[in-house]
Amino acid sequence: MLSPERLSLPGPEYLAQRHVLTYMEDAVSQLLENREDISQYGTARFFTEYFKSVRQGTHILFREFSFVQATPHNRASFLRTFWRCFRTVGKNGDLLTAQEYHCLLQLLCPDFPMELTQKAARIVLMDDAMDCLMSFSDFLFAFQIQFCYSEFLESVAAIYQDLLAGKSPNTVIVPTSSSGQHRQRQPPNDCSPLDGVEASLFYQCLESLCDRSKYSCPPSALVKEMLSSAQRLTFYGFLMALAKHQGINRALGALPDKGDLFLDPAMDQELEKLVAQVSGLSISAPTSSSGDAANLPVRNLPRISSPWKPLHHRRKMDAESEGSNEETDSSEN
């Protein structure tokens, strides 16, 4: 069923807004690269399956970073997939470094840039201590802001630096084109004697940026609400406020609220089915008197070493657990 928005926009404008041409070009490219395999079941079925995966958000799995970041839908799909795949990290209470979170991101996108991971980590840590530990929820919501609003934040950094240098809002240049994201900028220095910039002037520039930017921006009304209670703020203080704001999280629509972050009934149900299937196979497998599985071919699977180092779990052990270990050790001795 067509949405009212589709009927209210001219065809070319709607196609551009939804990035339909991006997906068509990618589909045709994949069709040409794999035409021998695709010819077995037909072009029509290929396009059906391709756009079904786009709708489900699975089309970004193991794709190159240039495609993963190509559209807002791709970014939201990647973010949602990262959450669903690795939410057990947070559920178990594990704390990881930026490098370890980057390894997880590369499991889904092999060429994912370390720079984006470091920027997300700085929102949490507010400094360059990249070896510090972070909880999954803190990193995830900071990563969401950095990844989904990447170009917007580059422009915000430029505005903040200009205001910090003493320029008035009328003379601040608000970047709106793609040229802004290619400039190499040092992270804004929050250790200024002015303790940041005046919130009202900052919002005045951000409102203009949100109105004119070609890229995804947080809703200006939510930004205004967020800044209304502050007199002055720093750049990383602003980013942290964005990451923690439930309204902005809901506007993006990729992640659940923080209280429901470790709940995913659909995924849990699928995992339970898989566990039940594996358990059923192991129980029902007939064995001969010699202990070998009957009528089943034996295969020696090659062992392939993984390029990923195992994550080091850093959960605090509870006092009773430590005590019980000591008793066990002493009894053995």
Side-chain angles (χ1 to χ4, degrees):
M1 182 177 180
L2 295 177
S3 64
E5 181 186 10
R6 166 65 183 90
L7 299 175
S8 64
L9 291 175
E13 186 176 341
Y14 179 83
L15 293 176
Q17 185 186 79
R18 299 294 179 177
H19 304 275
V20 174
L21 294 181
T22 299
Y23 296 117
M24 284 299 301
E25 290 174 359
D26 182 64
V28 172
S29 177
Q30 290 195 40
L31 177 65
L32 295 176
E33 289 178 8
N34 305 282
R35 55 178 174 268
E36 293 182 2
D37 296 331
I38 293 171
S39 62
Q40 298 177 8
Y41 53 86
T43 303
R45 182 179 173 186
F46 165 75
F47 279 105
T48 300
E49 294 299 324
Y50 177 87
F51 282 100
K52 181 180 179 180
S53 70
V54 171
R55 186 173 182 273
Q56 293 175 341
T58 57
H59 64 299
I60 45 77
L61 281 171
F62 317 120
R63 294 295 303 274
E64 63 279 6
F65 178 72
S66 59
F67 179 74
V68 169
Q69 70 157 356
T71 71
H73 175 67
N74 285 10
R75 298 187 190 195
S77 298
F78 183 83
L79 183 67
R80 190 179 300 109
T81 301
F82 179 76
W83 159 64
R84 296 190 74 185
C85 287
F86 303 114
R87 65 192 174 95
T88 51
V89 172
K91 200 172 184 179
N92 295 336
D94 298 321
L95 302 177
L96 306 181
T97 64
Q99 179 63 49
E100 289 170 328
Y101 280 117
H102 183 65
C103 289
L104 297 182
L105 291 166
Q106 286 188 309
L107 291 176
L108 302 178
C109 175
D111 65 335
F112 198 92
M114 182 64 185
E115 182 186 5
L116 262 180
T117 310
Q118 290 175 335
K119 287 181 177 180
R122 287 193 184 101
I123 298 177
V124 179
L125 304 173
M126 296 194 181
D127 56 29
D128 293 331
M130 291 294 103
D131 57 340
C132 290
L133 303 177
M134 295 170 283
S135 69
F136 180 75
S137 59
D138 285 346
F139 176 79
L140 182 65
F141 285 111
F143 176 70
Q144 172 177 238
I145 295 300
Q146 182 60 56
F147 187 48
C148 295
Y149 294 144
S150 181
E151 295 84 2
F152 168 76
L153 296 185
E154 289 291 332
S155 299
V156 171
I159 290 171
Y160 180 85
Q161 287 182 341
D162 287 345
L163 290 176
L164 204 60
K167 293 184 179 181
S168 68
N170 295 330
T171 59
V172 169
I173 299 175
V174 179
T176 57
S177 67
S178 58
S179 60
Q181 62 180 309
H182 298 297
R183 290 179 290 179
Q184 295 296 324
R185 289 185 174 272
Q186 297 296 324
N189 181 13
D190 281 347
C191 301
S192 70
L194 297 177
D195 192 25
V197 299
E198 189 175 335
S200 60
L201 296 180
F202 190 53
Y203 172 71
Q204 185 177 335
C205 297
L206 294 188
E207 185 179 27
S208 176
L209 173 63
C210 291
D211 291 341
R212 296 165 52 191
S213 178
K214 300 176 182 178
Y215 302 104
S216 298
C217 300
S220 56
L222 295 179
V223 175
K224 183 178 182 179
E225 172 193 318
M226 190 176 66
L227 298 180
S228 61
S229 58
Q231 293 185 344
R232 308 190 70 85
L233 81 164
T234 62
F235 178 71
Y236 284 113
F238 172 69
L239 298 188
M240 179 58 78
L242 285 176
K244 291 183 175 181
H245 199 285
Q246 288 191 1
I248 290 176
N249 177 55
R250 290 169 183 169
L252 285 167
L255 299 176
D257 291 343
K258 189 172 184 179
D260 299 328
L261 194 61
F262 304 125
L263 303 177
D264 189 0
M267 177 64 78
D268 290 339
Q269 188 175 8
E270 290 299 321
L271 289 175
E272 288 175 2
K273 289 180 181 178
L274 288 174
V275 171
Q277 290 175 0
V278 172
S279 300
L281 288 173
S282 61
I283 293 173
S284 61
T287 56
S288 64
S289 57
S290 62
D292 296 327
N295 302 322
L296 290 177
V298 178
R299 293 187 300 168
N300 294 323
L301 297 178
R303 298 186 65 181
I304 302 174
S305 59
S306 171
W308 307 107
K309 295 182 180 179
L311 299 177
H312 301 288
H313 298 290
R314 298 181 175 86
R315 284 171 287 177
K316 295 181 180 179
M317 298 179 64
D318 108 11
E320 288 186 8
S321 159
E322 291 178 353
S324 63
N325 290 338
E326 291 176 1
E327 291 175 3
T328 305
D329 295 339
S330 61
S331 63
E332 290 177 354
N333 296 331

